[in-house]
Amino acid sequence: MNTDIKKLPEQANNRDNNEIDLSALFWLLLRGWKVIIIFALLGLALGLLYSRYVNPTFKADGLVQIDEKSKGIEALGENISDLIGSEVSKAQTETELIKSRMVLEPVVNLLHLGIRISDPTVGYVDRLSSSRIHTQVNTPEGVILETEEGQVRVSQFNVSQEYSNTPFTLVRSNTGFVLSNDFDDFKGQLNQPHQFRGVDGIIQITVEDLPNREHPISITKQSLQTTTDDINAALTVIEKGQKTGIIELSLIGHNQQQVTLVLNQIIQSYVDQNKSRGSEETTKTLEFMETQIPLLRGKLEDSEAIFNKFREENGTIDVGQEAELLLKENSQLDVQLNELKLKKADLTTYYTEEHPLVIQINDQLQVLNNRKQEIDNTITGLPKIQREFLKLSEDTGINREVYLTMLKNYEQLKIVKAGQIGFARIIDLPISTYRTIAPKKMLITLLALLVGTMLGTMLVLLRSLLRNTVKDPERLESKTGIPVIATIPRSPSLSRLSKSKSSNRLLAYIDHNSLSYEAIKSLRTNLMFSMPKQASADKRAQVILISGESPGVGKSFISGNLAEIFSQLNKKVLIIDADMRLGEMHKLFNTSPDNGLGDYLSREDSDLSNTVHPTSMDYIDFIPRGKQPHNPTSLLASEKFSSLMTELKAHYDYIIMDSPPVLAASDAIILSAYADKVLMVTRYNRSIEGQLAYAIKQLNKANVQVDGIILNDVQQGIMDKYSYHYSYAYGNNQQVSPK
């Protein structure tokens, strides 16, 4: 065995480990083009099916402006305007209010959105065969669903809390309908309201129409929370721009008419709630005034009666100029005090005594009361009758002024309430455009195609990562340190015969003009010049051991065709099928496996002449595997096998031994002791690089030097990076494309 094989430079190994070969990655993806195309087409098909399976989605839009609260009383004077404060609503706050149950609940009740009906007979095939599946339509009159067997119309369906979100089944009967669940069956008449008492509570239902032929319909009464959650999932409320005060509302669904109707009702419900909130302050003020006006009128009447009685008893009193001024000033102070008290009473309905406005009014009241006290002290000095006259006159004037002021403000506030419109203004109501926004078939198709292509690419890369097959001779040399001395292309003719299970696989008979045959000739030339020179007196056979890392790599194919090539030199060649377990070289020569190596080594009286069999080809003899022994490895390590090899070497020029795979048995290690050349056969795009490297490592551990690697069954094509190894043929060979 020749062990003078130069190792590849260590720098090449380091470079291979540290660099990413982008070109190899590119060619790897090209070699996996079939997988990528299949996954791309699969993704495309799934995308098209999904686009057809999903119901079209429609959209409705509306715009609402949030503005300052409209007072509507600027022309009525500033006094009443001061009684009603102004407030600016922020759009961000209003967006949350729109999605609240306060706004959505009236819409749910009006359109019966809590009632969900569906056709359970519609399956996946129906959804694919039809471009659109009917969905329910909610109206103020009830819920409608079109089916293949007829129309469903339900105008009322209310259940107790225990039955909420519980599915029922509606079926038309001869006399009306049957409503059932897992426990109860309720029978009723069409177009008549019914109330049933079930195990878990009360059920109220009015069914107007059902499909024929006992077509089942699924019906469910959703809870308010579930229904509003479903609406909010399809509802989008955002402010357009920043601080514009314009809110855009969008609702999506599978029925354009339904979506437009629901969104329109949501906007109307919000505007109604907004208007109600805007007039709440005015309403409370009017209610307060309605309670005060009768009291003030009674107080005025009492003061006038007392004053008139005093005048009748004492006559008219001429009050001096000073008294008149004091009276006038005192009267004005009382008017101001009453106005401040009225304003304070209004403010204290919303604020506490610690509010700055209330404190300010209290300070003003204190100043006016102090001045009034000074005037009262001055008037005290007047004559008693005059003082009484002034007091009664003052009380009457004050009561009259307060009553008239209250009455005036009351009438003005009634006008204000009639003109209040809230601070939300509808700009655009939703309209039906009947333009689908989903599914975007073109986008889905492109994305599905892209995802399929990516999955196919990932599968190719993952398969290459998990099963790094043998493809690159240079990579093999770099990974193992063993030269690739031959690359044997795939023979198209042999591939066709393999499909017909033909046993003859010798290229000399079936494809002698092929690239494969020329490659084996090149292998013969390489071996001839690398064999150790021997003296003519020491004539003995050159022994070549051919093995592989695993079964199915083509050891027997290489061994048989290499022997035929050597026989063309008029050299005596012996082929030994040393795989006594599963050897199949006898099929290559159309002979029997009997009376072979196993029989010779296991029998005491065996005869070599009965073990060596001639073949149909000149100069080639063959030793089959024989009957499988129970200890083939021990037989190869015996003295009898050593004597056999010594005897055979004296009669042949070349001995080719086909051994079992290295990873399957240790026979190759024993046989290598008799070999001048140890060759490893590996198969293109099938053998695993790691297994080949491990097999060579196992041989090296046993001090067996592998002299070369034969890369078998290489396929040529424009997507194979290393096709230049056999791109040209010699002689009259025509270049053929791989299978």
Side-chain angles (χ1 to χ4, degrees), residues 476-488:
L476 278 182
E477 293 177 348
S478 176
K479 192 175 186 66
T480 63
I482 307 299
V484 177
I485 61 175
T487 56
I488 312 300

Side-chain angles (χ1 to χ4, degrees), residues 380-439:
T380 303
L382 296 176
K384 180 178 179 181
I385 295 178
Q386 289 182 338
R387 291 200 305 268
E388 189 68 21
F389 177 85
L390 290 176
K391 179 180 179 182
L392 295 176
S393 176
E394 177 183 355
D395 291 341
T396 303
I398 292 173
N399 291 334
R400 182 182 292 107
E401 186 69 23
V402 171
Y403 174 73
L404 293 176
T405 301
M406 180 70 72
L407 193 61
K408 174 184 175 183
N409 291 343
Y410 177 74
E411 295 298 329
Q412 287 180 329
L413 282 178
K414 288 173 64 177
I415 298 174
V416 170
K417 182 178 180 181
Q420 281 183 330
I421 58 174
F423 53 85
R425 181 165 63 102
I426 300 176
I427 299 177
D428 290 330
L429 280 173
I431 59 174
S432 298
T433 60
Y434 295 97
R435 291 197 300 265
T436 59
I437 63 170

Side-chain angles (χ1 to χ4, degrees), residues 466-680:
L466 298 179
R467 188 177 181 270
N468 197 4
T469 57
V470 172
K471 294 187 180 73
D472 182 358
E474 295 178 1
R475 180 179 174 86
L476 278 182
E477 293 177 348
S478 176
K479 192 175 186 66
T480 63
I482 307 299
V484 177
I485 61 175
T487 56
I488 312 300
R490 171 180 289 185
S491 170
S493 300
L494 183 60
S495 298
R496 287 192 293 270
L497 289 175
S498 298
K499 290 184 177 180
S500 62
K501 298 183 179 180
S502 174
S503 59
N504 194 342
R505 292 183 292 169
L506 293 176
L507 295 173
Y509 294 104
I510 59 177
D511 201 6
H512 66 278
N513 285 328
S514 66
L515 295 174
S516 305
Y517 199 51
E518 292 297 327
I520 295 180
K521 288 181 181 180
S522 299
L523 173 61
R524 178 193 65 183
T525 303
N526 185 303
L527 293 174
M528 288 176 57
F529 283 94
S530 63
M531 287 289 187
K533 300 294 183 178
Q534 295 182 357
S536 58
D538 186 21
K539 181 182 178 182
R540 66 183 183 87
Q542 301 284 350
V543 181
I544 302 173
L545 175 65
I546 297 179
S547 185
E549 82 283 353
S550 61
V553 297
K555 299 184 285 80
S556 300
F557 169 77
I558 298 296
S559 300
N561 284 281
L562 184 60
E564 190 275 329
I565 293 294
F566 271 114
S567 70
Q568 294 180 9
L569 302 176
N570 297 329
K571 300 292 185 180
K572 294 185 66 176
V573 182
L574 175 66
I575 300 179
I576 302 176
D577 190 352
D579 188 355
M580 291 180 283
R581 297 173 177 84
L582 301 172
E584 294 184 350
M585 285 206 65
H586 58 279
K587 296 181 180 179
L588 196 66
F589 297 102
N590 294 323
T591 63
S592 172
D594 300 331
N595 296 323
L597 181 62
D599 302 303
Y600 178 82
L601 296 177
S602 59
R603 295 175 183 173
E604 295 293 337
D605 57 346
S606 56
D607 186 3
L608 184 58
S609 60
N610 295 328
T611 304
V612 179
H613 303 275
T615 64
S616 60
M617 293 177 288
D618 296 335
Y619 305 107
I620 299 179
D621 291 335
F622 174 54
I623 298 179
R625 72 184 186 193
K627 184 178 180 181
Q628 180 179 352
H630 68 279
N631 56 345
T633 305
S634 300
L635 294 177
L636 292 177
S638 65
E639 290 293 334
K640 192 172 184 178
F641 180 75
S642 178
S643 301
L644 173 64
M645 289 301 299
T646 302
E647 185 175 355
L648 292 175
K649 285 182 180 181
H651 293 85
Y652 294 94
D653 296 306
Y654 294 97
I655 297 176
I656 300 175
M657 294 189 295
D658 183 14
S659 74
V662 174
L663 298 180
S666 60
D667 297 8
I669 298 176
I670 299 174
L671 293 172
S672 64
Y674 305 96
D676 298 295
K677 287 288 184 180
V678 177
L679 304 179
M680 289 289 290

Side-chain angles (χ1 to χ4, degrees), residues 294-364:
L295 298 178
L296 294 176
R297 184 171 59 249
K299 191 175 181 180
L300 174 61
E301 291 174 353
D302 293 340
S303 61
E304 286 179 343
I306 295 173
F307 180 63
N308 291 332
K309 183 179 180 180
F310 177 81
R311 293 181 60 186
E312 290 176 359
E313 293 177 353
N314 299 282
T316 302
I317 301 175
D318 186 15
V319 182
Q321 186 68 27
E322 180 179 359
E324 291 180 4
L325 293 176
L326 293 175
L327 178 62
K328 183 177 181 180
E329 183 179 358
N330 199 17
S331 177
Q332 292 176 351
L333 288 175
D334 286 332
V335 171
Q336 293 179 11
L337 285 171
N338 281 284
E339 287 181 351
L340 288 176
K341 289 178 181 178
L342 181 61
K343 193 171 184 179
K344 179 181 177 181
D346 183 48
L347 289 175
T348 52
T349 60
Y350 301 97
Y351 307 110
T352 63
E353 292 291 333
E354 289 76 14
H355 194 274
L357 293 177
V358 178
I359 295 175
Q360 183 180 3
I361 291 177
N362 289 334
D363 293 338
Q364 294 176 0

